[in-house]
């Protein structure tokens, strides 16, 4: 029997559904609480991600996260060093508050400090961590953790899982992803949202590649414009550092020259070789000895020798990244197979940037662009439009608040950043920060980079170096993007200097930092240094 009222009602419902679909376009409905996968590598520079620059390497799997989500082109760190950065990402707080200010005396989180995994777990998330931890305190807030011992090793590394420590045969980047996918497939509770943190050791020094990648990057790579920087016009900080490719890279442990030698006791490379089986060790030794035979460094000019050392360094660094990219591809394939791509926030970042020959350097620490910047890409289809790019200044400080906000968990007052959720949705608030504050503490220490703090705005950067110096540097990033000319004493920048100085003090006050606090920390660290100075 024909029932006009019924069909009319059905038509109305169908029309409403169609209109709703049209109004939302292709964007999916945001789940109540997304899964979170946070992938972080160690010392991965923006210049070594092809989503940012294609001059050095092609990283198709990493790029996919940005292409299908958002690339942040101005992500900065609060303190360009491994342990402090990890502590900031966990807590959303600056180094002077986390307790982890450096990689020497202060590597542990303050007792009782709150981390975002703790809060997610309390809110019903299942939490897991695999890979590099690099904090002296034990991981808290995780249902499962399997972490490297301290820095970890590239081959046959030791993993601490609960109360047990075991050596795992293989290459570290592959093993970390094996463990991550293994947890997802065997230990994940399907009834709960999850947060999985995957922390790579690579591409940290001493850049020992997977044997599968040894033959990559046979051709020489372009030299950085500032490789031969002599630091003219800059102060003692730039001149007295010990992270120079020409002077401070170790021939055996870093560049693997004469890899067949036994080397001095305690050498990093020999320590790695001693962990390997004969097949692993012989493959690597044959490779590096063949490269030794192809050159005669004795006949090189000083500049040629620096260029040769750079090529030897950068190729191994990039080979390590090849394994990272390949394993991220494995993870994305698994997530697609299991139907987890659309309800999972996938994040890729590094604990800080790194110098790939710029200013003649390797390592990080300085507030100059290459180590202040860090790559950040996020994929989450319900919220982020594919192909999005944000130029807003964001920080690693913002990550925990972002995760809590998306998970609909209350953000504690202790956190000092800001949620990136509005930026992910394509809207930059009018009151979004205009500048970022930075503070580095590890001096005296490895690489001899002076303590300093500073402010970076869209165009300018002001840095104050202290401890055994009292020097200021000012850079006009629009005119001098490579930071080769300090204009602090240039009268033409007098007004800029005054404005930046006032803004620097305002940010210090906003974040609870100050000259007085820096001096208090300085006196504490001097005592600690005198106690342990024999290690430097």
């Amino acid at each position: 029997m024909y029932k006009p009222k019924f069909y009319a009602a059905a038509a109305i419902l169908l029309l409403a559904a169609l209109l709703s679909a049209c109004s939302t376009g292709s964007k999916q409905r945001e789940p109540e609480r997304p899964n979170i996968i946070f992938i972080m590598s160690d010392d991965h520079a923006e210049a070594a991600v092809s989503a940012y620059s294609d001059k050095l390497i092609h990283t198709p799997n990493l790029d996919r996260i940005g292409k299908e989500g958002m690339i942040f082109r101005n992500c900065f760190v609060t303190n360009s060093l491994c342990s402090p950065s990890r502590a900031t990402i966990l807590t959303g707080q600056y180094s002077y508050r986390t307790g982890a200010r450096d990689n020497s005396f202060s590597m542990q989180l303050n007792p009782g400090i709150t981390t975002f995994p703790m809060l997610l777990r309390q809110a019903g998330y299942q939490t897991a961590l695999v890979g590099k931890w690099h904090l002296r305190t034990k991981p808290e807030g995780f249902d499962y953790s399997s972490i490297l011992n301290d820095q970890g090793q590239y081959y046959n590394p030791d993993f601490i899982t609960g109360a047990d420590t075991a050596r795992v045969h293989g290459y570290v980047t592959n093993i970390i992803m094996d463990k991550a996918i293994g947890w997802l497939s065997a230990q994940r509770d399907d009834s709960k949202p999850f947060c999985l943190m995957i922390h790579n050791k690579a591409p940290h020094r001493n850049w020992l590649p997977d044997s599968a990648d040894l033959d990559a990057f046979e051709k020489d790579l372009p030299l950085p414009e500032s490789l031969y920087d002599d630091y003219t016009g800059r102060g003692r900080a730039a001149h007295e550092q010990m992270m120079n490719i020409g002077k401070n890279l170790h021939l055996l442990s870093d560049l693997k020259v004469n890899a067949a030698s036994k080397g001095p006791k305690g050498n990093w490379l020999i320590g790695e070789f001693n962990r390997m089986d004969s097949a692993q060790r012989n493959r690597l030794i044959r490779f590096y000895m063949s490269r030794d035979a192809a050159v005669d460094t004795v006949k090189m000019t000083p500049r040629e020798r620096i260029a040769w050392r750079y090529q030897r360094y950068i190729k191994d660094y990039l080979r390590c990244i090849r394994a990272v990219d390949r394993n991220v591809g494995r993870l994305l394939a698994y997530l697609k197979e299991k139907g987890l791509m659309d309800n999972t926030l996938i994040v890729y970042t590094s604990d800080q940037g790194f110098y790939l020959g710029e200013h003649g350097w390797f390592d990080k620490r300085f507030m100059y662009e290459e180590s202040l910047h860090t790559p950040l890409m996020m994929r989450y289809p319900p919220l982020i439009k594919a192909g999005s790019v944000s130029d807003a200044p964001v920080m690693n400080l913002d990550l925990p608040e972002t995760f809590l906000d998306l998970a609909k968990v209350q953000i504690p007052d202790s956190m000092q950043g800001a949620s990136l959720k509005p930026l992910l949705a394509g809207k930059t608030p009018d009151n979004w920060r205009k500048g970022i504050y930075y503070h580095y503490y590890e001096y005296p220490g490895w690489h001899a980079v002076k303590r300093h703090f500073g402010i970076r705005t869209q165009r300018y950067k002001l840095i104050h170096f202290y401890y055994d110096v009292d020097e200021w540097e000012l850079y006009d990033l629009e005119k001098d993007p490579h930071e080769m000319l300090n204009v602090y004493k240039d009268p033409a920048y007098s007004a800029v200097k005054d404005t930046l100085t006032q803004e620097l003090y305002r940010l210090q006050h906003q974040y609870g930092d100050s000259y007085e606090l820096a001096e208090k920390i300085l006196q504490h660290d001097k005592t600690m240094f005198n106690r342990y100075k024999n290690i430097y």
Side-chain angles (χ1 to χ4, degrees):
M1 182 183 295
Y2 177 60
K3 297 180 180 179
K5 290 185 179 180
F6 169 80
Y7 286 109
I12 290 170
L13 290 172
L14 177 60
L15 179 60
L18 290 171
L19 289 173
S20 176
C22 291
S23 67
T24 57
S26 60
K27 186 176 287 188
Q28 303 174 40
R29 184 172 179 270
E30 185 180 348
E32 284 298 310
R33 298 195 296 173
N35 303 312
I36 299 168
I37 293 183
F38 176 78
I39 312 165
M40 179 166 67
S41 294
D42 194 313
D43 295 343
H44 193 173
E46 274 189 3
V49 181
S50 51
Y52 289 88
S53 172
D54 60 2
K55 292 181 179 179
L56 295 176
I57 191 172
H58 180 45
T59 52
N61 298 299
L62 298 179
D63 293 358
R64 182 181 165 191
I65 298 172
K67 288 177 181 177
E68 297 179 3
M70 175 173 282
I71 297 172
F72 290 88
R73 297 205 175 274
N74 284 298
C75 182
F76 306 99
V77 296
T78 62
N79 182 351
S80 187
L81 202 58
C82 301
S83 295
S85 179
R86 291 160 194 275
T88 290
I89 288 169
L90 287 166
T91 66
Q93 299 182 52
Y94 270 86
S95 298
Y96 79 91
R97 287 176 55 169
T98 66
R101 297 187 306 275
D102 56 46
N103 283 352
S104 301
F105 311 128
S106 303
M107 284 181 62
Q108 63 285 325
L109 292 171
N110 284 331
I113 198 166
T114 299
T115 67
F116 82 84
M118 293 177 183
L119 297 173
L120 288 178
R121 191 182 186 200
Q122 291 171 11
Y125 270 71
Q126 190 179 15
T127 56
L129 164 70
V130 294
K132 183 171 177 178
W133 175 243
H134 206 235
L135 291 163
R136 289 202 180 108
T137 43
K138 293 181 179 179
E140 294 185 36
F142 297 97
D143 294 295
Y144 169 83
S145 66
S146 186
I147 61 171
L148 293 167
N149 182 24
D150 193 44
Q151 291 280 4
Q153 299 84 23
Y154 273 105
Y155 278 83
N156 308 336
D158 294 334
F159 277 85
I160 303 168
T161 308
D164 300 323
T165 300
R167 186 167 297 186
V168 183
H169 187 271
Y171 186 70
V172 67
T173 309
N174 303 331
I175 297 168
I176 288 170
M177 194 56 74
D178 287 345
K179 285 179 172 286
I181 294 176
W183 180 84
L184 285 169
S185 61
Q187 294 177 257
R188 180 171 65 90
D189 183 346
D190 292 348
S191 68
K192 294 181 177 181
F194 66 83
C195 174
L196 170 60
M197 303 185 76
I198 305 170
H199 291 186
N200 288 304
K201 170 185 172 63
H204 191 277
R205 189 182 188 185
N206 62 339
W207 316 295
L208 199 58
D210 186 347
S211 58
D213 297 308
L214 289 175
D215 294 329
F217 304 103
E218 286 295 303
K219 295 181 180 179
D220 281 353
L221 294 151
L223 300 180
E225 291 184 34
S226 58
L227 179 64
Y228 303 111
D229 190 356
D230 63 3
Y231 319 120
T232 298
R234 277 150 287 168
R236 286 175 54 189
H239 283 85
E240 296 180 12
Q241 47 68 36
M242 297 179 67
M243 42 190 271
N244 187 279
I245 286 174
K247 299 176 182 178
N248 304 121
L249 280 177
H250 300 162
L251 282 174
L252 176 57
S253 60
D254 291 325
L255 304 181
K256 296 92 174 176
V257 173
N258 196 17
S261 68
K262 292 184 178 180
K265 184 178 180 181
N267 182 276
W268 303 330
L269 184 63
I270 302 307
E272 287 272 10
F273 280 166
N274 289 340
R275 305 182 68 84
M276 297 179 189
D277 62 37
S278 58
Q280 292 170 330
R281 182 167 52 251
N282 291 339
R283 174 76 175 91
L284 288 163
I285 287 175
R286 284 196 302 269
F287 172 77
Y288 287 110
M289 293 298 286
S290 71
R291 269 54 187 173
D292 291 349
V295 297
D296 184 357
T297 58
V298 175
K299 295 181 180 179
M300 292 179 180
T301 67
R303 287 172 72 92
E304 288 173 338
R305 196 170 293 114
I306 290 172
W308 168 79
R309 289 168 71 98
Y310 166 75
Q311 296 292 348
R312 192 95 171 202
Y313 150 61
I314 196 65
K315 290 177 182 180
D316 273 351
Y317 176 92
L318 296 174
R319 289 170 183 135
C320 290
I321 292 170
R322 290 248 307 193
V324 171
D325 183 73
R326 183 168 57 250
N327 278 282
V328 168
R330 289 177 57 204
L331 175 67
L332 296 177
Y334 175 86
L335 295 174
K336 181 177 180 180
E337 177 189 347
K338 300 300 180 182
L340 293 170
M341 288 291 282
D342 292 337
N343 64 339
T344 301
L345 170 69
I346 303 172
V347 180
Y348 184 82
T349 191
S350 174
D351 51 357
Q352 63 265 319
F354 209 69
Y355 294 98
L356 306 183
E358 299 92 353
H359 303 291
W361 295 337
F362 64 98
D363 208 71
K364 53 264 184 180
R365 303 166 194 268
F366 276 109
M367 197 187 167
Y368 303 129
E369 290 293 277
E370 292 82 8
S371 60
L372 179 65
H373 272 263
T374 192
L376 178 63
M377 298 179 287
M378 295 188 182
R379 181 193 187 279
Y380 183 45
L383 181 63
I384 307 170
K385 182 180 178 181
S388 298
V389 175
S390 174
D391 291 317
V394 304
M395 306 178 73
N396 59 353
L397 190 73
D398 302 325
L399 293 173
E401 294 193 35
T402 304
F403 302 150
L404 294 176
D405 192 7
L406 291 174
K408 297 179 172 57
V409 176
Q410 183 174 352
I411 298 169
D413 293 338
S414 61
M415 292 189 173
Q416 297 177 288
S419 171
L420 302 179
K421 186 176 180 179
L423 276 64
L424 296 175
K427 301 174 183 177
T428 303
D430 292 338
N431 61 347
W432 192 258
R433 68 169 67 93
K434 300 299 187 290
I436 64 101
Y437 176 67
Y438 179 90
H439 199 153
Y440 172 82
Y441 297 89
E442 192 179 274
Y443 182 87
W446 302 115
H447 297 300
V449 174
K450 308 289 187 186
R451 295 183 184 222
H452 58 288
F453 55 78
I455 178 175
R456 198 260 197 208
T457 63
Q458 181 179 1
R459 178 169 176 175
Y460 299 105
K461 183 182 297 180
L462 179 68
I463 310 172
H464 179 223
F465 293 95
Y466 68 99
Y467 187 91
D468 58 348
V469 295
D470 182 9
E471 296 179 346
W472 291 81
E473 293 182 0
L474 172 63
Y475 296 96
D476 184 337
L477 300 174
E478 184 178 289
K479 294 182 177 180
D480 179 27
H482 300 299
E483 297 168 294
M484 304 290 284
L485 179 64
N486 175 19
V487 296
Y488 186 78
K489 295 181 179 179
D490 186 337
Y493 287 88
S494 177
V496 171
K497 179 178 66 176
D498 291 345
T499 299
L500 283 176
T501 303
Q502 292 177 15
E503 183 62 12
L504 172 63
Y505 295 153
R506 188 194 70 77
L507 284 179
Q508 280 190 325
H509 179 74
Q510 174 184 323
Y511 292 118
D513 202 1
S514 64
Y515 275 99
E516 292 75 19
L517 181 58
E519 179 63 26
K520 183 178 179 180
I521 291 172
L522 177 59
Q523 295 309 317
H524 168 270
D525 290 352
K526 280 183 176 179
T527 301
M528 296 296 289
F529 176 75
N530 289 331
R531 189 178 301 172
Y532 298 106
K533 62 184 177 182
N534 61 303
I535 69 173
Y536 291 107

